[in-house]
Amino acid sequence: MIIANTLPPARAWNTWSDRPAAMTFLPLGVHVTPLLYSTRHKEATLLPPGEGMRFGHHGMDGRLVEFETRHGGTHIAFRYEKHDPFVLQGKWRATSLAEWGLRYWLTLCLSAETGVTVSHHDGACIVRIGYRYVALVSQMAAVQVTAHDSLEAVLDDFNANGYFHTASRGDNAPVIALRFNLEMMRSGRFAAAVADSRDLAIRKARAALAPPPAAITLPAQTGRHAGALDAVRDIMAWNTMYDGINHRPYTSVSRIWNLGKFAVWYNDQTYAAMMTGLFDAQIARENMAVAQASATPQGNFACIVTSNDAWVDRTQAPNGSFMVWMIYLRHRELSFLHEHYETLARNHMWWRRERDPDGMGLVSCGTSDVGEALYKGTHFGARNETGMDNSPTHDEAIYDPLTRTLSTLDVGLNCCLALDAEMLSRIAKALGRTAESRSFAALAEDTRQKIRTCLWDAERSIYANRHRQGGFVRSVGPTSFYPLICGAATPEQAGALVRELFNPERFGGTYMVPNVSRDDPAFADNVYWRGRIWPNVNYFLWHGLRRYGFIREASRLATASMLLFNQSWTRHRIAGENYSAVTGEADDQPDTDLFLSWGAMLPMLGVADVMDINPWDGWEIHNTGKPVSIGPLQSPVGPVSLTVEDGIATLSHQDTPLLSWNGVGRMTDLELTDGQISFRLHADNPAQRGRLHIGAHFLPRVCGVYLNGMDGPALQDATVDLSGVENGQRVDIRLAPGT
């Protein structure tokens, strides 16, 4: 039985199941699952989500997976590797024993989703599915081999009988268990191979017991914001699973958050699509398809869909178009826009039709009279549409059962709506839908104008939520700064917002940005959206600062976000759903998930502060002169890496240098095409604008250098002197056609 036959072979072996320690060959639904038993605690474990594991490095394709188990006080380091898509190599090493190793048992179980019989003969476990075979072998012979009806039966056998038990020995069953102990096998190696004959599968598995031929490297970041790219990769990879109900791979909101057999929050899924797109375009497409699959006949995307419930009566803030455009800018695949434009456009117009009861052009949260979801038709259900469920900015809102909306205009929600219209305009233009592009551009500008005039509290010099027929609400949160990301703030308002954002008495400080101002009584609650810091909010604020040209301030926020993230990540590998704005801890409250996908949006800022692709500045490189190495990560020209050594930034594609720059500042709107190299230069100090060196790949084809379309500096020894380029000017290096 084929479980997922369209998956690329490179991704077939991976941590797909809801048991994160297991490796699954997804096309066949075959599992290699570790089980641990501690005699001291008289307890066995299959290491379910959230129990006894410290998540380590994890490649998106599963070619390297590392983790540490912690059960009964004993620590064991595991490592899986793939040097062949069809061959899995594994090893374990006990790093700390809490009891005599003879009484601590490590078991490897081979099983299949279909429950077919697994056999054991001559040291090899074999399962046949159709015409294909999977063999599991170990370097050292197991102390004993046992046969069971299920993985749970292996668990029950240990829990009932301990390790000093032989009655379950066998060679044929749905599960075969190879049992080892840490006295005789403190460390060990094993391998599993897939082939189209039994003997070949066994030979390939045994050949793989030799040490791997070379070390596997994964995308990484060193120097400035060290570990940022690594963290995004690991969090995304560990949370990527297989949804067996809907038969699809997806990056879950959290591997350890129990919301059912599957759970898809709309915005979380779009964020996962954007972040996995750093590494793999196909995984980004899969995640965005999962997000868009919740589109309802009414037009909105469901707020959340799980195996237990579907919140079709409400949605989440319309951030999908922003994420779709960000992914497109990175991969430049027009078909991706074709796939999603119409459902995104329908969702946008749904907001304006269903959530603007007074027809004033600004929307409120609500809950429609459709579906049977939990909290439908309630104040709390309506608040879900902002995602900030218990935010004090909602405390003054009144739910109107006639309009099924809250009485307040949410500034963050309306800024997201304006941004959504702007991104839809860009998408429509790229698709050649000119009239629709103009229409959405007009809607974006109209919404920005209404935000600017209706939601700016001049008395407090800040944007704030407002009653539809009255004044401003008292509490303000970081969404008060969202007019920066949608372009609604005037230059004067933007300056005031930035001063407020970094005011340590309000939103600034060592740990930022709290979800309500520090002087608000609700800040002390420190529960969910009442005072805590949320990674997705910091991510949006960073983009708002960059859009308005507050580059130093954006870097300051990125540095603060990395400090906050690393405090829990470096020590405990925690990627928090949210964090304390006082201590910076993620685990100080029981109400926060400790490995949430959007936790990676904090280290995303450490990536983006070095190299990013966004709507405001296109593909940009930020060279501060400090050492950095980042990549490979996806770009419009494929996987690229950026290094800064001795102040020289070098951009490379597959180890081939494309260009080098020794200036301090930013290159934005970078384009590397068959016809030209072009960029805008941003360096305030003329003495730091430096020189551009053109890689040998392009050099023979250079026809000329132009500055804002006019003749520019001459090319000398593959180098262009940029000292005379004005801040913000465009440099074009035109190329003869390539071969």
Side-chain angles (χ1 to χ4, degrees):
M1 176 181 177
I2 303 297
I3 302 298
N5 60 356
T6 59
L7 200 72
R11 293 170 59 200
W13 278 113
N14 216 325
T15 54
W16 296 112
S17 84
D18 56 4
R19 294 187 175 96
M23 285 292 276
T24 299
F25 189 78
L26 192 56
L28 300 178
V30 172
H31 308 286
V32 176
T33 308
L35 179 149
L36 306 177
Y37 175 71
S38 165
T39 301
R40 175 188 178 197
H41 287 261
K42 296 181 172 58
E43 183 181 11
T45 179
L46 287 163
L47 297 161
E51 180 183 305
M53 280 185 66
R54 185 179 190 271
F55 298 126
H57 297 316
H58 195 316
M60 288 301 304
D61 57 6
R63 60 186 158 136
L64 174 65
V65 177
E66 296 177 322
F67 59 93
E68 183 180 284
T69 61
R70 296 167 293 182
H71 175 64
T74 291
H75 292 203
I76 306 173
F78 281 83
R79 180 182 176 97
Y80 299 126
E81 297 182 27
K82 292 188 300 181
H83 296 269
D84 176 323
F86 295 95
V87 179
L88 172 70
Q89 296 167 282
K91 65 180 182 180
W92 75 83
R93 178 175 57 87
T95 59
S96 174
L97 295 182
E99 59 191 284
W100 185 20
L102 189 72
R103 295 178 177 175
Y104 195 100
W105 285 65
L106 184 155
T107 300
L108 299 175
C109 305
L110 183 65
S111 62
E113 284 290 311
T114 54
V116 298
T117 297
V118 183
S119 63
H120 178 265
H121 178 71
D122 195 23
C125 299
I126 294 288
V127 58
R128 177 181 178 178
I129 299 180
Y131 55 83
R132 196 144 282 167
Y133 297 79
V134 182
L136 171 67
V137 300
S138 59
Q139 187 178 41
M140 293 180 288
V143 174
Q144 67 172 336
V145 179
T146 57
H148 308 268
D149 289 334
S150 66
L151 288 168
E152 289 73 20
V154 189
L155 192 79
D156 293 342
D157 186 33
F158 269 108
N159 286 335
N161 303 306
Y163 75 90
F164 206 73
H165 179 69
T166 60
S168 54
R169 287 176 177 171
D171 292 318
N172 293 278
V175 179
I176 292 293
L178 304 179
R179 301 190 180 198
F180 309 89
N181 65 62
L182 299 188
E183 172 70 13
M184 301 166 66
M185 299 94 167
R186 182 71 60 92
S187 62
R189 299 182 62 85
F190 56 94
V194 184
D196 287 342
S197 84
R198 178 183 180 278
D199 291 343
L200 181 58
I202 294 173
R203 286 201 305 272
K204 290 182 67 175
R206 285 180 172 157
L209 291 175
I216 290 177
T217 59
L218 298 176
Q221 184 167 346
T222 62
R224 190 157 67 94
H225 301 314
L229 185 66
D230 321 39
V232 177
R233 177 202 70 217
D234 293 341
I235 297 165
M236 291 296 99
W238 274 113
N239 280 321
T240 297
M241 303 172 64
Y242 188 70
D243 171 4
I245 293 179
N246 296 293
H247 306 291
R248 62 193 182 186
Y250 79 120
T251 304
S252 64
V253 59
S254 170
R255 181 181 275 278
I256 64 177
W257 194 0
N258 182 19
L259 293 174
K261 296 295 184 182
F262 74 93
V264 176
W265 292 94
Y266 175 67
N267 274 336
D268 299 58
Q269 204 63 43
T270 68
Y271 302 156
M274 179 272 296
M275 289 187 283
T276 55
L278 289 178
F279 312 99
D280 191 306
Q282 179 60 32
I283 301 176
R285 293 185 85 131
E286 290 167 357
N287 278 316
M288 191 57 71
V290 169
Q292 304 291 83
S294 74
T296 72
Q298 297 76 247
N300 64 300
F301 297 109
C303 177
I304 182 176
V305 178
T306 76
S307 55
N308 301 319
D309 202 356
W311 295 5
V312 296
D313 61 298
R314 72 209 88 140
T315 185
Q316 289 194 303
N319 295 326
S321 299
F322 177 39
M323 295 299 150
V324 164
W325 187 247
M326 292 274 282
I327 294 167
Y328 168 73
L329 291 178
R330 184 171 295 278
H331 299 283
R332 297 290 178 174
E333 178 53 62
L334 202 60
S335 65
F336 181 69
L337 300 182
H338 278 289
E339 288 173 18
H340 300 301
Y341 170 71
E342 291 190 2
T343 51
L344 289 167
R346 289 180 71 242
N347 178 69
H348 186 92
M349 299 314 297
W350 175 92
W351 270 104
R352 295 184 181 276
R353 184 179 69 250
E354 299 293 332
R355 296 295 187 257
D356 184 6
D358 302 328
M360 63 188 300
L362 294 174
V363 299
S364 299
C365 303
T367 162
S368 303
D369 190 17
V370 293
E372 301 297 332
L374 195 65
Y375 315 128
K376 171 191 166 185
T378 66
H379 189 289
F380 181 78
R383 298 195 321 247
N384 292 152
E385 291 202 318
T386 66
M388 301 178 177
D389 311 302
N390 70 333
S391 168
T393 61
H394 297 316
D395 287 356
E396 297 178 39
I398 298 170
Y399 177 68
D400 182 350
L402 295 179
T403 66
R404 302 187 71 90
T405 61
L406 296 186
S407 61
T408 51
L409 298 166
D410 188 276
V411 61
L413 181 57
N414 280 282
C415 289
C416 290
L417 189 69
L419 180 64
D420 192 59
E422 180 184 354
M423 295 300 109
L424 283 168
S425 176
R426 294 182 185 226
I427 295 170
K429 183 178 180 181
L431 294 176
R433 302 171 80 145
T434 306
E436 293 168 60
S437 177
R438 290 174 182 155
S439 176
F440 278 118
L443 281 173
E445 181 52 37
D446 181 71
T447 307
R448 282 192 291 263
Q449 179 63 27
K450 287 183 168 68
I451 292 168
R452 191 178 301 127
T453 56
C454 296
L455 301 181
W456 174 254
D457 185 346
E459 184 176 335
R460 291 186 290 176
S461 293
I462 197 170
Y463 283 94
N465 291 7
R466 187 171 190 170
H467 295 280
R468 276 189 167 267
Q469 307 300 330
F472 293 98
V473 304
R474 180 185 57 80
S475 292
V476 291
T479 53
S480 290
F481 307 106
Y482 275 30
L484 295 174
I485 196 173
C486 76
T490 66
E492 294 75 21
Q493 290 171 346
L497 290 176
V498 171
R499 289 190 292 274
E500 182 81 342
L501 178 63
F502 288 97
N503 180 352
E505 302 299 318
R506 299 279 281 165
F507 292 96
T510 301
Y511 302 112
M512 58 186 301
V513 177
N515 209 61
V516 67
S517 61
R518 295 182 187 274
D519 56 358
D520 191 297
F523 176 81
D525 292 350
N526 190 35
V527 174
Y528 245 51
W529 297 94
R530 303 179 79 83
R532 295 180 71 78
I533 298 169
W534 290 77
N536 57 318
V537 173
N538 279 23
Y539 181 82
F540 275 75
L541 295 181
W542 184 88
H543 276 288
L545 292 169
R546 293 296 283 247
R547 178 169 188 165
Y548 272 76
F550 294 108
I551 307 304
R552 292 186 180 87
E553 291 81 358
S555 291
R556 184 176 169 188
L557 178 58
T559 299
S561 297
M562 286 299 300
L563 173 71
L564 174 69
F565 176 77
N566 281 331
Q567 181 169 310
S568 296
W569 179 256
T570 303
R571 289 181 295 155
H572 305 300
R573 300 285 287 187
I574 286 174
E577 178 185 9
N578 51 66
Y579 296 81
S580 166
V582 176
T583 67
E585 295 298 323
D587 59 355
D588 61 313
Q589 287 282 355
D591 303 309
T592 180
D593 184 272
L594 300 181
F595 209 79
L596 202 83
S597 286
W598 78 18
M601 297 180 90
L602 290 176
M604 262 299 299
L605 298 184
V607 175
D609 196 45
V610 174
M611 182 165 59
D612 193 37
I613 303 175
N614 58 64
W616 337 121
D617 293 309
W619 185 1
E620 64 172 314
I621 293 170
H622 187 194
N623 185 12
T624 65
K626 295 180 180 178
V628 68
S629 175
I630 184 171
L633 67 168
Q634 295 296 315
S635 79
V637 298
V640 296
S641 298
L642 178 71
T643 61
V644 177
E645 295 180 2
D646 298 324
I648 301 173
T650 301
L651 183 69
S652 301
H653 171 59
Q654 296 179 342
D655 297 325
T656 299
L658 302 176
L659 55 85
S660 297
W661 176 47
N662 67 350
V664 175
R666 294 185 303 144
M667 285 183 174
T668 67
D669 298 303
L670 177 63
E671 293 183 14
L672 301 172
T673 69
D674 193 50
Q676 70 178 14
I677 302 169
S678 61
F679 58 90
R680 293 189 185 277
L681 185 66
H682 302 268
D684 295 334
N685 186 343
Q688 294 183 319
R689 289 172 187 160
R691 301 167 70 86
L692 179 76
H693 183 83
I694 301 171
H697 174 74
F698 294 116
L699 188 59
R701 297 166 47 208
V702 174
C703 297
V705 181
Y706 298 85
L707 193 59
N708 279 1
M710 307 296 289
D711 287 343
L715 178 69
Q716 296 182 342
D717 298 325
T719 300
V720 180
D721 185 353
L722 301 177
S723 60
V725 179
E726 295 295 327
N727 213 18
Q729 283 189 313
R730 186 172 193 87
V731 177
D732 295 310
I733 301 167
R734 295 180 187 169
L735 307 172
T739 57

